[in-house]
Amino acid sequence: MKRKLVVLLTAAMVSGLVFAGCGSTEETVSTDASAETEETAEDADQAAADEVAAMIDAIYVQEWTEETEEQCAAAKAAWDALTDAQKELVEGENADPDYFGRDTGDASQDDPRNQDGIGENEILVVSFGTSYNDSRATDIRGVEDAIEAAYPDWSVRRAFTSQIIINHVLARDGESIDNVDQALARAVDNGVKNLVVQPTHLMHGAEYDELMETLAEYEDQFESVSVAEPLLGEVGDDATVINEDKAAVAKAVTAAAVADSGYDSLDAAAGDGVAYVFMGHGTSHTAKVSYSQMQTQMDKLGYDNVFIGTVEGEPEDTACEAVIEAVESAGYTKVVLRPLMVVAGDHANNDMAGDDEDSWLSMFEASGSFESVDTQIAGLGRIDAVQELYAAHTAAAIDAAGSSTAAEAQNEADASVLEDGVYIADFTTDSSMFHVNEAYDGKGTLTVENGEMVIHISLVSQNIVNLYTGTAEDAQKDGADLIEPTEDTVTYSDGTTEVVYGFDVPVAALDEEFDLAIIGTKGTWYDHKVSVSNPEPAE
């Protein structure tokens, strides 16, 4: 009986273990299935986010194509279709949740100024651009509105140089802004005759150079083209060079910063230990000296508690670390950071005032040298005095365009005075080494045909081998149209003859100096000024 009882107990125990084991297996299977379902959902979320990230990266480019509008619309639609959780997963080479998700203000407050039917006179305001709606409407539109108010007889239009920003605004807000090519083509299509271009760039830097290259491809499609100065005017050779434009900007941005920080004057702020740091972009272009010149300008104005820095740290003494050291060495205990940029966009909000450890705000705070570090998110474009300075630059360009148009009209009038025919005219140069052969007493043969004038001059020898209507620098560029010599036989007063080189020189206008470069047998180009005057009919 005892043996049978043991067997039964053993069987019961085994049976219990078996049943217990079965129960555990069901629970494990259920848990695994749940984990697998959760993992599948996470993968699906990430896949959806990755697809949107790829679409954002595809439009985060500095190039416009025929597919760009469609790509921008598709990217926005795909973003809108994501859940909030999926949006947080968007991460690409340039993509992140802020691309569509950041609130930068109301885009409807802006005006892209891309209307047609604008008349014959256009002022094209060219900016780098910003995707920050509030700044675009306040800073860039502020400048455009001021120019429009100053010149109501001209149509003011806009172009951005950053296609990346243009695409961002188009995709997120549905606002279409022209790039420079599109704006110039629009002007041509609109029948614009007189074009004035006002860059909102700070200086003659890389963006300005690229603008000029693009403009050169269109300028022959307008009757007159004039380009206004950027905000800080001419660059100059070194850090000591300052001008009225730099002084005006220095005064304007400092006054605005002082007022916004609640002080009655810069001296009052200095007395309270406050230093103002204005952060520009910085550049490797030779125009970077402009930032050093702005520091010189601040010093010349006696603004001892004002410092100039740059995001890029070029020039080197404008790097954040260098500026922190300079402010600390000067003994100031409080700092106000403000952008030295036309717009308060990404650089102002992130590089200057962001939460990342490499922002200027974070680096100034981390130095432990200051009681307080405050930021002012405000672009130069919203300051009245800056808007007035841009308008003044535009006025100078309009005046230049008017003068140029008047000169061209006078040239045409001069040419029309002379009927088609052959004349003897004075050919005057600025050098005793370059002149007409003595046998012709400083005169050449001027031929007028269909209103176009060409003067033939015989020189003193064959030492000058080519001429070029323009500067020596341009003469050396590929494709320069050099004037080839002819062989002229001249007879001197004593009856002797000599074979010399002669040249047919186009003449745009009488009684006006023009550039005429020469190159001799030694292969060096030289600049000269010449003029043609006093035409008399040839006998």
Side-chain angles (χ1 to χ4, degrees):
M1 289 295 293
K2 288 183 179 179
R3 179 178 177 83
K4 187 175 181 180
L5 179 59
V6 170
V7 171
L8 288 173
L9 289 172
T10 302
M13 290 174 64
V14 171
S15 176
L17 288 172
V18 170
F19 284 120
C22 289
S24 176
T25 299
E26 290 176 359
E27 183 178 345
T28 300
V29 170
S30 175
T31 301
D32 289 345
S34 176
E36 184 176 348
T37 301
E38 183 177 343
E39 184 175 344
T40 302
E42 289 178 356
D43 289 344
D45 285 346
Q46 189 62 63
D50 289 345
E51 182 179 357
V52 173
M55 298 174 80
I56 292 174
D57 284 339
I59 58 177
Y60 202 99
V61 292
Q62 190 64 13
E63 181 182 3
W64 175 270
T65 70
E66 293 181 355
E67 291 77 35
T68 297
E69 287 190 18
E70 183 179 340
Q71 289 176 309
C72 288
K76 181 60 162 60
W79 165 266
D80 289 341
L82 296 180
T83 65
D84 289 343
Q86 289 171 337
K87 289 176 180 178
E88 291 299 318
L89 299 174
V90 172
E91 190 69 40
E93 183 177 354
N94 295 292
D96 59 41
D98 283 343
Y99 188 85
F100 284 117
R102 181 185 290 248
D103 182 8
T104 66
D106 185 359
S108 68
Q109 299 302 307
D110 188 32
D111 180 0
R113 280 190 163 89
N114 56 8
Q115 300 89 341
D116 295 316
I118 61 175
E120 297 182 350
N121 300 316
E122 176 182 334
I123 300 171
L124 179 62
V125 181
V126 179
S127 305
F128 178 81
T130 180
S131 62
Y132 280 71
N133 292 332
D134 283 346
S135 182
R136 191 169 65 257
T138 304
D139 297 325
I140 294 178
R141 182 176 178 178
V143 172
E144 295 166 344
D145 285 350
I147 293 173
E148 187 171 62
Y151 309 104
D153 294 334
W154 290 68
S155 296
V156 176
R157 292 296 175 264
R158 170 192 290 179
F160 282 1
T161 59
S162 174
Q163 191 65 52
I164 291 173
I165 287 174
I166 291 172
N167 291 356
H168 192 173
V169 175
L170 176 62
R172 185 189 61 200
D173 305 306
E175 180 176 325
S176 182
I177 299 171
D178 286 344
N179 61 33
V180 177
D181 269 312
Q182 290 168 329
L184 292 173
R186 187 187 296 275
V188 172
D189 292 342
N190 277 312
V192 171
K193 294 182 178 180
N194 304 305
L195 178 69
V196 170
V197 179
Q198 174 63 70
T200 65
H201 307 124
L202 257 65
M203 62 193 69
H204 291 266
E207 290 285 332
Y208 182 90
D209 291 346
E210 291 176 9
L211 168 62
M212 297 303 291
E213 290 175 6
T214 304
L215 186 59
E217 300 174 7
Y218 288 86
E219 61 183 350
D220 61 350
Q221 300 185 58
F222 304 98
E223 291 185 6
S224 70
V225 177
S226 183
V227 182
E229 283 290 326
L231 186 59
L232 300 181
E234 290 293 339
V235 176
D237 296 329
D238 57 49
T240 65
V241 178
I242 55 179
N243 56 33
E244 293 181 358
D245 292 333
K246 292 181 177 66
V249 174
K251 293 175 182 177
V253 69
T254 302
V258 170
D260 287 352
S261 56
Y263 290 97
D264 294 333
S265 68
L266 184 61
D267 288 340
D272 196 25
V274 176
Y276 294 91
V277 175
F278 297 119
M279 186 193 76
H281 185 276
T283 177
S284 58
H285 191 279
T286 54
K288 66 184 179 183
V289 72
S290 299
Y291 293 108
S292 300
Q293 291 166 351
M294 281 300 291
Q295 185 64 68
T296 299
Q297 183 65 74
M298 295 297 184
D299 297 341
K300 291 284 187 182
L301 290 169
Y303 294 176
D304 297 333
N305 58 330
V306 175
F307 301 83
I308 303 297
T310 64
V311 178
E312 299 294 331
E314 293 193 55
E316 291 182 2
D317 59 358
T318 61
C320 187
E321 297 84 353
V323 177
I324 290 174
E325 183 179 348
V327 176
E328 182 182 8
S329 298
Y332 297 103
T333 59
K334 302 174 184 176
V335 175
V336 175
L337 302 174
R338 186 181 177 109
L340 185 66
M341 302 176 182
V342 176
V343 300
D346 186 67
H347 289 303
N349 285 274
N350 295 320
D351 294 318
M352 188 187 79
D355 295 329
D356 293 342
E357 63 181 16
D358 60 348
S359 76
W360 281 48
L361 173 61
S362 297
M363 293 173 70
F364 267 84
E365 289 178 337
S367 71
S369 301
F370 308 105
E371 297 175 10
S372 65
V373 183
D374 296 318
T375 60
Q376 297 177 352
I377 310 297
L380 294 169
R382 67 189 64 187
I383 301 174
D384 290 344
V386 170
Q387 295 173 0
E388 291 169 5
L389 183 56
Y390 276 122
H393 286 180
T394 303
I398 290 175
D399 290 343
S403 298
S404 175
T405 303
E408 290 176 4
Q410 184 61 47
N411 293 344
E412 294 175 0
D414 290 340
S416 66
V417 169
L418 293 178
E419 296 180 356
D420 285 4
V422 180
Y423 301 81
I424 302 299
D426 293 335
F427 182 82
T428 306
T429 78
D430 59 1
S431 172
S432 61
M433 303 299 292
F434 169 42
H435 56 85
V436 172
N437 192 289
E438 63 182 78
Y440 295 107
D441 195 25
K443 297 182 183 295
T445 302
L446 181 68
T447 301
V448 181
E449 185 175 353
N450 296 325
E452 295 186 356
M453 299 183 289
V454 176
I455 190 167
H456 183 84
I457 54 172
S458 298
L459 303 185
V460 298
S461 66
Q462 295 185 359
N463 290 333
I464 295 175
V465 296
N466 284 113
L467 302 183
Y468 176 77
T469 307
T471 64
E473 180 182 359
D474 290 339
Q476 300 173 70
K477 294 180 180 178
D478 292 341
D481 188 12
L482 306 185
I483 304 175
E484 299 294 338
T486 61
E487 290 190 348
D488 296 356
T489 300
V490 298
T491 302
Y492 297 106
S493 58
D494 61 1
T496 60
T497 62
E498 182 182 13
V499 177
V500 300
Y501 278 161
F503 295 89
D504 293 315
V505 180
V507 179
L510 299 174
D511 301 314
E512 287 190 10
E513 279 192 340
F514 59 94
D515 292 311
L516 187 63
I518 69 172
I519 185 172
T521 54
K522 294 183 179 180
T524 302
W525 281 97
Y526 296 94
D527 284 310
H528 287 288
K529 295 284 189 181
V530 303
S531 62
V532 177
S533 58
N534 303 321
E536 296 181 358
E539 296 179 356

